[in-house]
Amino acid sequence: MTASSPMNGRSSWVWIDYAAYDMGSWSAPTNTGDSPFLMGYFRRRFTAPANARLTLHVSADSRYILWCNGVAVGRGPAKGDVRHQFFETYDLSAHLRDGENVLVAQVVSFARARAFPSQSGAPNSIMTAAWLFAAEGDVVDANGNVVDTVDTDARWVAIPDRAYRWRHRENWGTYLGMLEEVHGAEYPWGWQQADFDDAAWKPVQALHPTVSDAEVTGLDMHVPQVLTPRTIPMLEETPMRFDGAAHVRLIHPTGTEGSAAECRAWTKAVIALIRDDRAVRIPANTKLSVTLWCDALQTGFPEIAVEEGRGTRITATYAEALTYGDGAIDQENWRDFKGNIEPRHAPDEGVVMGYWDEYISGGGAESWEPILWRTFRYVRIEIETAEEPVTVTQLSYRFTGYPYEERASFRSSDPGHARLWELSWRTARLCAHETYEDCPYYEQLQYAGDTQVQARIGYTVAADPRLARQAIRHFDWSREASGPPQSRYPSRNPQYIPTWSMIWVMLVRDYWWHTGDVEETANRLPGISSTLSWFERYENSDGLLEALPGWKVVDWVAGWN
């Protein structure tokens, strides 16, 4: 195996050497007895001269977040499948210092989780096979000489995570898998910095050389991942503020509920926090809950920062719309509340119902955001302090999405059309990340039927075919040896809708029409031929299709409810 292309044998797939640690009651290789997700922290110190350059290639099964000298520089890998495991390439030159530097990565693997996400499984759109991390790069001086390599080998050190308790929530009909419960007291604060003391960290365990799709050979491969370069740009991440706060409820240490005047005062304090970063201090043994809202639906990373308040439990619950019902609103026990989800915007009246994350403060200056992005218009923040008061210094979020640019314009004599254009473009943006998505809240899965419409928007409004080209490849990769593509992909759970397999053929046609990319189109012709041949098996004497296997659906109907 040669290393003539990146990530092709020079570096190794690595993971934590669990045998080097006394796991105690923490059963290796799982983090906790009831969590199938594996998490680890990886570090590599190195020395660089002034004006050094570093290009780094990175991948992981299943997700990673990368920092250089304490600065978050990227996250990935892009969603593919195991046979097409994407890796990202970063130019880290601007982040290097003259002297000691550090690369670090937080990596989580969903490989041990069962396939069905609503039963303590992994996110359905993230395909996975084993817990692995790989990096590769040369540190080059100003004269172009290689002075060090940062490939994943025994010079990288790692520790297993003890802070995350991945928990199954009630089945909200989502395909997102388990959500986060994070304990700040167990998190290795400061580990992203070069001066962090990692003397107790152990060298990683090398598992197998990396393999790229450029030179796959017939030799035995002991890991199934075959690496390929990322083909889409990195996602946009833009700092944002919530637009308002409402429905504040306060429970004193005595158990009495705050008066209307007190709740109004706390509402003003929270608004000052979300708009102007004015810290809010909550007394010990107190409960405070508040509904934060945005002017429109968002996809992003909620950001919460606190100081002190060891043992404070913060719960963030996410909803697309509010739930309303007859009688008094019981936000404290909302999981027992029965009502109807409605699109009307009345934060003081509605209940936030949906999936949720939890953070438990360790008592220091700490900040939390989820590893995977969330979808919300409304976020219910519930803060319950323990024996210490807590100071909340930040409540915000970062929008994330595929970096589409609105290049086309539309004019009409009807002013309502402008609003319709705005709503449609926002919907297109919210349903495009590392893949197209049928819906960002419940599934985050790329379906061929939805993708045809979404791809056409990308061509005509953004003049950007890259996400569509990746989608075409995704569905081609999903085919079995002599059959049509799956109806959704990437997906841990296979699904077959024959009519949507045919839509994939039209996706390729549309791509060719809009781009003129003959080479990419020609590469899909074998898959198109196989798909059409499969349909011919079910052609009757009238030239119509009959007895098609799979789910025979074109669109949803009310009767299925």
Side-chain angles (χ1 to χ4, degrees), residues 23 26-27 105 117 210 243 287 326 379 403-404 418 433 519 544 546:
M23 300 297 289
W26 299 65
S27 57
T210 54
D243 293 299
K287 296 180 182 179
D326 297 331
V379 181
Y404 271 139
H433 291 81
E519 180 180 3
L544 301 176
E546 68 178 14

Side-chain angles (χ1 to χ4, degrees), residues 288-299:
L288 179 70
S289 59
V290 59
T291 296
L292 305 179
W293 53 268
C294 308
D295 283 336
L297 192 71
Q298 301 289 342
T299 57

Side-chain angles (χ1 to χ4, degrees), residues 364-422:
E366 303 168 4
S367 61
W368 169 84
E369 64 179 51
I371 292 173
L372 303 178
W373 53 268
R374 307 303 188 203
T375 303
F376 51 86
R377 185 181 181 187
Y378 303 93
V379 181
R380 186 70 178 179
I381 300 295
E382 299 167 273
I383 302 173
E384 183 175 357
T385 58
E387 300 303 317
E388 299 177 6
V390 69
T391 301
V392 183
T393 58
Q394 181 184 11
L395 274 178
S396 60
Y397 68 97
R398 294 194 320 282
F399 169 84
T400 189
Y402 184 84
Y404 271 139
E405 296 180 21
E406 187 179 358
R407 297 182 176 180
S409 60
F410 176 81
R411 292 189 299 274
S412 170
S413 58
D414 186 341
H417 289 163
R419 178 60 174 160
L420 183 60
W421 175 279
E422 177 189 351

Side-chain angles (χ1 to χ4, degrees), residues 209-523:
T210 54
V211 179
S212 80
D213 64 355
E215 298 182 39
V216 174
T217 72
L219 298 176
D220 285 345
M221 292 169 49
H222 299 289
V223 292
Q225 286 83 355
V226 179
L227 288 157
T228 189
R230 182 184 180 113
T231 59
I232 59 172
M234 300 300 290
L235 299 188
E236 172 189 344
E237 293 192 19
T238 302
M240 302 285 286
R241 294 183 182 273
F242 289 99
D243 293 299
H247 209 301
V248 168
R249 186 177 185 185
L250 178 71
I251 306 296
H252 291 290
T254 59
T256 58
E257 189 162 352
S259 65
E262 287 179 304
C263 290
R264 285 195 296 269
W266 280 101
T267 301
K268 292 181 180 179
V270 172
I271 290 175
L273 170 64
I274 63 175
R275 292 182 179 175
D276 303 315
D277 296 325
R278 296 181 187 176
V280 172
R281 188 170 179 82
I282 303 170
N285 300 306
T286 300
K287 296 180 182 179
L288 179 70
S289 59
V290 59
T291 296
L292 305 179
W293 53 268
C294 308
D295 283 336
L297 192 71
Q298 301 289 342
T299 57
F301 299 93
E303 299 175 294
I304 299 171
V306 297
E307 295 177 357
E308 304 176 297
R310 183 179 180 87
T312 295
R313 181 176 292 269
I314 303 173
T315 303
T317 304
Y318 314 104
E320 295 177 296
L322 294 171
T323 300
Y324 303 88
D326 297 331
I329 296 295
D330 187 359
Q331 184 71 63
E332 182 73 11
N333 299 301
W334 61 266
R335 292 173 183 85
D336 298 323
F337 176 77
K338 305 299 181 184
N340 297 311
I341 298 176
E342 299 177 16
R344 62 187 174 99
H345 175 61
D348 279 317
E349 301 174 15
V351 174
V352 177
M353 299 183 70
Y355 56 76
W356 69 95
D357 295 305
E358 291 182 299
Y359 181 79
I360 297 89
S361 171
E366 303 168 4
S367 61
W368 169 84
E369 64 179 51
I371 292 173
L372 303 178
W373 53 268
R374 307 303 188 203
T375 303
F376 51 86
R377 185 181 181 187
Y378 303 93
V379 181
R380 186 70 178 179
I381 300 295
E382 299 167 273
I383 302 173
E384 183 175 357
T385 58
E387 300 303 317
E388 299 177 6
V390 69
T391 301
V392 183
T393 58
Q394 181 184 11
L395 274 178
S396 60
Y397 68 97
R398 294 194 320 282
F399 169 84
T400 189
Y402 184 84
Y404 271 139
E405 296 180 21
E406 187 179 358
R407 297 182 176 180
S409 60
F410 176 81
R411 292 189 299 274
S412 170
S413 58
D414 186 341
H417 289 163
R419 178 60 174 160
L420 183 60
W421 175 279
E422 177 189 351
L423 291 172
S424 300
W425 178 242
R426 168 171 287 279
T427 301
R429 291 225 61 196
L430 293 174
C431 294
H433 291 81
E434 288 174 350
T435 65
Y436 294 114
E437 294 128 5
D438 68 320
C439 56
Y441 188 95
Y442 294 95
E443 296 194 27
Q444 299 180 9
L445 286 166
Q446 181 173 252
Y447 287 81
D450 304 75
T451 295
Q452 185 185 27
V453 177
Q454 293 165 295
R456 288 178 175 181
I457 295 171
Y459 300 141
T460 56
V461 179
D464 186 345
R466 291 172 292 183
L467 195 59
R469 181 182 60 200
Q470 177 187 261
I472 290 168
R473 293 176 180 177
H474 277 155
F475 289 113
D476 202 8
W477 297 343
S478 76
R479 292 185 305 106
E480 296 181 354
S482 60
Q486 297 179 31
S487 55
R488 65 186 186 200
Y489 207 77
S491 174
R492 287 167 61 98
N493 294 1
Q495 184 191 78
Y496 296 91
I497 300 177
T499 49
W500 289 6
S501 299
M502 190 65 77
I503 286 177
W504 173 71
V505 178
M506 293 188 284
L507 271 169
V508 179
R509 176 204 62 184
D510 290 352
Y511 177 81
W512 176 46
W513 279 357
H514 285 276
T515 67
D517 187 345
V518 175
E519 180 180 3
E520 181 67 28
T521 305
N523 288 338

